[in-house]
Amino acid sequence: MKKKLILLHFLLFITFLIQAQNYTISGHITDAKNGETLISSSIYDVITRKGAVSNTYGFYSLTLPKGEVEVEYTYVGFGTQRRIFKLTKDTVINIKLIESIELKEVTVMGNRKEIGVKGSQMSAIEIPISMIKSVPTLFGEADIIKALQLLPGVKAGTEGSAGFYVRGGGPDENLFLLDGVPVYNVNHMGGFFSVFNPDAIKNVTLYKGSFPARFGGRLSSVLDIRMNDGNNKAIHGNVSVGIISSKFNVEGPLFSENTTFNISARRTYLDVLMQPIIKLAASYENSENQDVNLSAGYYFYDMNAKISHKFSDKDRLYLSAYMGDDAIYANMRQKYEDYENSTQESRFKLNWDWGNIITALRWNHIINNKLFMNATATYTRYRFNMDIGQINTETIKNPASKTDMSTTIGYRSGIQDFGPKVDFDYAPNPNHDIKFGASYTHHTFRPGVSVAQYKFENDTSIQKMDTTIGDQNVLSHETALYFEDNINIGSYVKANFGLHYSTFFVQDEFYNSLQPRIGLRVLLTDKLSLKAGYASMSQYIHLLSNNTISLPTDLWVPVTKRIEPMKSHQYSGGIFYNLLNIVDLTLEGYYKSMDNLIEYKDGASFLGSSTGWEDKVSMGRGWAYGLEFLAQKSIGKTTGWIGYTWAKSERLSDREGQDLNNGEVFPAKYDRRHDLSLVVSHKFNKKIDVSGTWVYSTGNAGTLGMQNYFAYPIPGNDYLYGGSIPYINKRNNYRFPDYHRLDLSVNFHKQKKYGVRTWNISVYNAYNQMNPFLIYTSSKSDHNISNDTYTYRKILSKLTLFPIIPSVSYSYKF
């Protein structure tokens, strides 16, 4: 009898296990039109009310109880697909979503499953490329960075530049990732354009706080940019011609749908257009016995390429690359002939170029239906080269002789990284979404190296000199481990817990940091939630710069024994509300403390060499806090957003021997109290759409000497000399005038036989507001006519770079 009872209990237990058995639905979600993976698509079972989100590579995994399921696959702008079936085993379902005809006029900021009302992530936003391309910009050049500058919490630098300052942080505190690879120089033309070509980009996500544990290495923000994989159905592309640049994009399958490519390129051509003017100016210097030939210019170019291959449903390989350069060049030949006996010729040459090379080789592998792996080998390099040379030649006819003298000065700097990393996505059940991984980076810092060469040669002798001055390359090793879990705690609470551990080894010095990350969401209703977050961050590299705009001479340097890693702690909280499924409203507040920030000491400057830089900077701390409001309409013919930021950012350097501003608190350079932006796009019909942006901000902080005093020279000191010297009582003691600007754009589309033609007309600074690029002191004279005397007084003058600038471009999409 006892044995029968045991057997009965065993059978009941087995029956319970069978009834409670779970199975997993997994697969990839792609765009049916072109095969592109859809990031952050929503997968939701109506019966169990459980769901999941596709990862960066379109893979999803959802584990559900055995039995009837009704799974909905959705992505904003695409029609919903539904699968109703009886789940009796692990099932692979690859979904191809079709763009919805009813929603073709929708322009949205991502799927928002994880960053909207119901997600645990806050202080993050996704922007589709279609919205970025519609934002009016300088010279009509669509620019990712400029579009992001219009969001709350992000501040632009100087007028027209691609400066990027997030929640009180500096320009070196942002991690820019292109297909997961860091980009060290993100600017063209001194910061007026960014290196990211929108034609090559699929997805853009900006994190301003509450950072997921998989990111690290910077204090203030992470900009995660993903490139297009390529259309696997047919060859498509577009060509665009504008005032200062032209670009093209081509994508399609190679041999079969399993292999795709995507290639984009862009180049400016102002240097070509200016050559006739430059040559004409040089011709005015020509005379009967003098011949002058001059060519000079500036240009930049970008090239993006990506090849993807699908071996099977479980294995995919991606190879992506970026290469871009800026170049300034000048060549001048001046020849002077003396009719009596000699000819003199002088040749001047300048080659100045800087740029990035980035590559990533990635392998996606589905280990099982719950575990996804992505292994990546990365390489990134930023380099700066400048060479200036002059050759003077004198030829004497009688007696015959020739003398050559050449001088060349060069400068080299840069940084180079390579290393492997591996990331895992693990979905054990619908209540847990786990990510973990590891990475290693080998850094080679190439500090400023100056090269000088001299050669003198005549008929009887040769003299040479070749000198190199500068530091040796600095090698360092950085590692990182992370773990994070997105957890559903009941129906109303969701949390993200993570840890990021990093190490940095340089010049026999070892640093390490354990950085906890926490995100929490409480769902009050289906349309309203409260969120809170905390993130600890560490940064092991610094950018040496004393310029108000980004210049190629800015130099990346690692931490040292004397200069410790920068650290930050950021706390944030917010309210998220969805109004009638039409408008998303968010209100966020944050407080961020920062330690070991570096600032140049009073009177110190950086001239492109890392030698002795530790003695020129002071270490201090800072804090920033503010409120950010965003109202965003994503559906309908009229879309856009209103963003407002109230913020404050301050610094304090009061360590012994390193005090700045007399050890008192001073505002950060880009401390601005108010920022307001309005972005609107409207589609009248298939042929015409318009867009406009209006921005307003209070002025940046700057340092100006309001008084001058006369100083006598100190004998024997070459650095302290006499004359009129400005007196500066405090750092960042002046506030620039308020800034505001209106930009407008209109597109005219027409369907042609083989594609769509588009004319774009844009106006930058439509009402010609003369915003200052630079404020400086100058003198003005007043003439007294009665006694014919002049009096002089000091005034503040401004330099404006960009008045009203119209532009036009033509594009053809096939």
Side-chain angles (χ1 to χ4, degrees):
M1 184 67 180
K2 188 174 181 181
K3 291 183 178 180
K4 290 183 178 179
L5 287 175
I6 294 174
L7 180 61
L8 178 62
H9 282 93
F10 179 76
L11 291 175
L12 290 174
F13 179 71
I14 293 298
T15 302
F16 174 79
L17 288 179
I18 293 174
Q19 290 176 345
Q21 192 168 2
N22 295 329
Y23 293 107
T24 300
I25 307 170
S26 61
H28 287 84
I29 301 179
T30 58
D31 185 340
K33 185 178 180 180
N34 54 31
E36 286 284 352
T37 55
L38 297 179
I39 302 172
S40 298
S41 300
S42 176
I43 304 94
Y44 180 73
D45 178 40
V46 177
I47 297 174
T48 62
R49 298 176 64 86
K50 300 294 184 181
V53 177
S54 62
N55 68 8
T56 304
Y57 305 98
F59 174 79
Y60 75 94
S61 175
L62 178 61
T63 300
L64 298 171
K66 176 184 177 181
E68 293 291 330
V69 296
E70 184 177 344
V71 182
E72 292 182 345
Y73 298 87
T74 59
Y75 189 80
V76 177
F78 288 74
T80 298
Q81 289 196 23
R82 185 176 287 104
R83 295 289 189 273
I84 302 175
F85 60 97
K86 189 172 184 178
L87 184 62
T88 59
K89 61 179 181 178
D90 290 339
T91 305
V92 176
I93 302 178
N94 293 319
I95 297 295
K96 297 180 181 181
L97 294 181
I98 301 173
E99 186 178 8
S100 173
I101 298 176
E102 297 176 356
L103 295 177
K104 273 195 172 182
E105 293 164 349
V106 175
T107 303
V108 298
M109 291 191 173
N111 179 267
R112 307 192 65 80
K113 169 72 177 178
E114 285 306 310
I115 61 180
V117 170
K118 296 184 178 181
S120 61
Q121 179 66 52
M122 67 179 301
S123 303
I125 195 165
E126 295 180 6
I127 298 186
I129 296 303
S130 58
M131 175 62 82
I132 290 173
K133 291 182 177 180
S134 70
V135 174
T137 53
L138 181 66
F139 297 117
E141 282 290 311
D143 194 286
I144 290 175
I145 299 296
K146 284 185 173 57
L148 294 174
Q149 289 173 350
L150 301 172
L151 295 174
V154 182
K155 298 181 185 293
T158 52
E159 163 73 5
S161 75
F164 206 70
Y165 302 84
V166 180
R167 289 187 171 179
D172 60 340
E173 296 173 18
N174 308 298
L175 178 61
F176 297 97
L177 296 173
L178 183 62
D179 266 2
V181 185
V183 183
Y184 284 102
N185 179 56
V186 298
N187 299 308
H188 284 308
M189 201 180 282
F192 294 109
F193 301 98
S194 72
V195 302
F196 305 112
N197 183 354
D199 288 341
I201 305 303
K202 172 169 62 177
N203 184 266
V204 177
T205 306
L206 173 66
Y207 298 87
K208 300 178 292 183
S210 192
F211 303 102
R214 59 187 178 274
F215 297 120
R218 300 293 188 276
L219 298 189
S220 294
S221 77
V222 177
L223 182 59
D224 189 14
I225 299 175
R226 298 289 169 169
M227 293 171 57
N228 285 318
D229 296 331
N231 193 311
N232 69 352
K233 306 299 182 183
I235 299 292
H236 289 281
N238 65 78
V239 178
S240 178
V241 179
I243 290 180
I244 67 167
S245 72
S246 291
K247 54 189 176 182
F248 76 88
N249 169 253
V250 180
E251 61 177 341
L254 283 175
F255 314 118
S256 70
E257 288 189 0
N258 290 331
T259 305
T260 62
F261 74 94
N262 190 301
I263 299 176
S264 297
R266 172 178 61 166
R267 191 194 190 279
T268 58
Y269 38 68
L270 276 178
D271 59 320
V272 178
L273 299 178
M274 291 296 293
Q275 290 308 310
I277 299 175
I278 293 173
K279 290 184 180 298
L280 179 62
S283 67
Y284 285 106
E285 299 295 325
N286 293 333
S287 61
E288 184 177 351
N289 59 347
Q290 179 174 269
D291 179 34
V292 178
N293 194 320
L294 174 65
S295 66
Y298 164 82
Y299 67 89
F300 70 78
Y301 72 89
D302 295 302
M303 293 185 65
N304 295 79
K306 189 171 185 178
I307 296 177
S308 307
H309 180 71
K310 177 182 175 182
F311 292 97
S312 65
D313 283 341
K314 289 190 173 184
D315 293 280
R316 304 184 183 210
L317 193 68
Y318 304 85
L319 176 63
S320 56
Y322 165 85
M323 181 172 66
D325 268 320
D326 291 61
I328 297 175
Y329 64 89
N331 294 282
M332 185 176 70
R333 184 182 65 86
Q334 193 171 19
K335 189 174 182 180
Y336 178 80
E337 294 187 2
D338 186 336
Y339 289 112
E340 294 182 357
N341 199 29
S342 67
T343 300
Q344 295 182 357
E345 182 176 334
S346 176
R347 284 173 289 172
F348 172 82
K349 188 173 184 178
L350 167 66
N351 287 319
W352 185 3
D353 59 273
W354 62 96
N356 301 286
I357 290 180
I358 296 167
T359 58
L361 178 64
R362 301 197 311 278
W363 170 40
N364 289 175
H365 177 62
I366 300 175
I367 298 175
N368 57 50
N369 52 20
K370 296 182 180 181
L371 184 60
F372 177 93
M373 181 195 74
N374 178 65
T376 310
T378 66
Y379 173 81
T380 180
R381 184 222 67 186
Y382 169 70
R383 62 102 178 92
F384 167 83
N385 295 323
M386 182 174 64
D387 291 291
I388 302 175
Q390 183 161 343
I391 300 175
N392 295 317
T393 302
E394 182 180 24
T395 304
I396 299 177
K397 299 177 183 177
N398 188 22
S401 66
K402 184 178 181 181
T403 302
D404 288 309
M405 184 175 66
S406 63
T407 304
T408 302
I409 298 175
Y411 177 78
R412 314 278 186 269
S413 69
I415 180 173
Q416 176 178 274
D417 295 349
F418 65 86
K421 66 176 181 175
V422 61
D423 303 281
F424 295 91
D425 288 37
Y426 178 52
N429 57 61
N431 292 325
H432 292 270
D433 181 11
I434 298 172
K435 300 180 188 294
F436 59 96
S439 65
Y440 164 77
T441 304
H442 181 278
H443 298 282
T444 302
F445 296 89
R446 188 182 187 187
V449 174
S450 298
V451 178
Q453 296 176 328
Y454 172 80
K455 181 179 180 181
F456 178 87
E457 181 178 0
N458 59 20
D459 296 336
T460 59
S461 64
I462 297 177
Q463 300 177 21
K464 293 182 179 181
M465 182 189 73
D466 193 337
T467 302
T468 300
I469 303 173
D471 294 337
Q472 295 181 347
N473 291 348
V474 178
L475 305 181
S476 64
H477 307 271
E478 184 173 4
T479 62
L481 299 170
Y482 74 87
F483 176 90
E484 63 179 87
D485 189 3
N486 212 21
I487 309 172
N488 288 313
I489 308 173
S491 301
Y492 303 102
V493 179
K494 192 170 188 176
N496 186 295
F497 298 103
L499 282 174
H500 183 99
Y501 177 71
S502 62
T503 68
F504 197 86
F505 182 76
V506 58
Q507 295 178 333
D508 297 327
E509 192 70 21
F510 179 79
Y511 291 101
N512 68 95
S513 174
L514 182 63
Q515 306 155 41
R517 317 283 174 80
I518 302 172
L520 182 67
R521 180 226 68 192
V522 178
L523 193 65
L524 303 180
T525 70
D526 281 345
K527 306 294 184 182
L528 178 65
S529 67
L530 301 177
K531 296 185 184 183
Y534 165 77
S536 171
M537 304 290 280
S538 292
Q539 181 170 333
Y540 300 103
I541 61 177
H542 302 276
L543 183 66
L544 295 183
S545 172
N546 60 354
N547 302 292
T548 57
I549 63 174
S550 174
L551 292 179
T553 53
D554 297 349
L555 191 65
W556 289 97
V557 293
V559 294
T560 67
K561 291 183 179 180
R562 294 169 53 187
I563 304 298
E564 299 176 8
M566 295 188 290
K567 296 181 180 293
S568 72
H569 301 274
Q570 184 175 162
Y571 307 85
S572 53
I575 303 173
F576 294 73
Y577 181 65
N578 179 268
L579 178 63
L580 303 175
N581 289 324
I582 297 176
V583 178
D584 288 320
L585 303 172
T586 64
L587 178 65
E588 292 190 36
Y590 68 90
Y591 177 84
K592 180 167 64 175
S593 63
M594 298 163 281
D595 201 12
N596 298 329
L597 302 179
I598 64 172
E599 293 265 356
Y600 275 97
K601 293 181 179 178
D602 297 328
S605 63
F606 168 67
L607 299 176
S609 173
S610 67
T611 304
W613 69 272
E614 297 164 291
D615 298 320
K616 298 179 181 179
V617 299
S618 294
M619 294 181 63
R621 60 187 188 273
W623 49 89
Y625 49 91
L627 290 172
E628 300 169 0
F629 171 77
L630 179 65
Q632 170 196 326
K633 184 176 183 294
S634 304
I635 298 176
K637 290 187 175 182
T638 303
T639 60
W641 72 83
I642 299 175
Y644 170 75
T645 305
W646 182 96
K648 194 170 186 178
S649 180
E650 295 179 314
R651 301 288 186 266
L652 175 62
S653 294
D654 58 354
R655 300 184 185 184
E656 185 177 355
Q658 299 189 52
D659 62 299
L660 298 177
N661 199 50
N662 299 316
E664 299 177 357
V665 175
F666 60 92
K669 178 171 179 54
Y670 289 101
D671 169 54
R672 292 203 297 260
R673 202 67 65 243
H674 304 281
D675 279 273
L676 178 66
S677 61
L678 173 63
V679 180
V680 178
S681 296
H682 180 75
K683 184 173 183 178
F684 290 100
N685 49 53
K686 292 182 178 180
K687 293 183 178 181
I688 301 176
D689 60 79
V690 298
S691 61
T693 63
W694 184 76
V695 294
Y696 168 83
S697 64
T698 49
N700 296 326
T703 303
L704 286 177
M706 299 302 182
Q707 295 177 314
N708 280 47
Y709 64 92
F710 186 82
Y712 289 97
I714 299 177
N717 194 311
D718 296 332
Y719 298 98
L720 298 177
Y721 51 88
S724 181
I725 297 177
Y727 170 71
I728 299 173
N729 60 338
K730 289 185 178 180
R731 177 169 286 217
N732 293 337
N733 59 350
Y734 174 78
R735 285 286 174 178
F736 280 63
D738 292 355
Y739 179 97
H740 53 94
R741 190 189 76 242
L742 173 68
D743 304 330
L744 300 172
S745 175
V746 58
N747 291 308
F748 300 95
H749 310 282
K750 187 174 182 180
Q751 181 69 47
K752 294 289 189 177
K753 184 176 181 180
Y754 297 107
V756 178
R757 177 270 293 157
T758 299
W759 282 101
N760 171 269
I761 300 175
S762 299
V763 180
Y764 181 87
N765 195 6
Y767 53 77
N768 198 35
Q769 171 65 21
M770 305 303 284
N771 292 302
F773 174 76
L774 181 67
I775 297 288
Y776 61 95
T777 58
S778 61
S779 297
K780 183 177 180 180
S781 62
D782 296 317
H783 183 208
N784 190 328
I785 301 177
S786 61
N787 56 11
D788 195 25
T789 60
Y790 291 86
T791 57
Y792 297 89
R793 56 190 173 91
K794 180 178 288 188
I795 63 171
L796 291 179
S797 299
K798 67 178 181 180
L799 172 65
T800 298
L801 289 186
F802 301 111
I804 181 172
I805 299 178
S807 62
V808 61
S809 65
Y810 173 88
S811 63
Y812 189 84
K813 187 175 182 179
F814 58 90

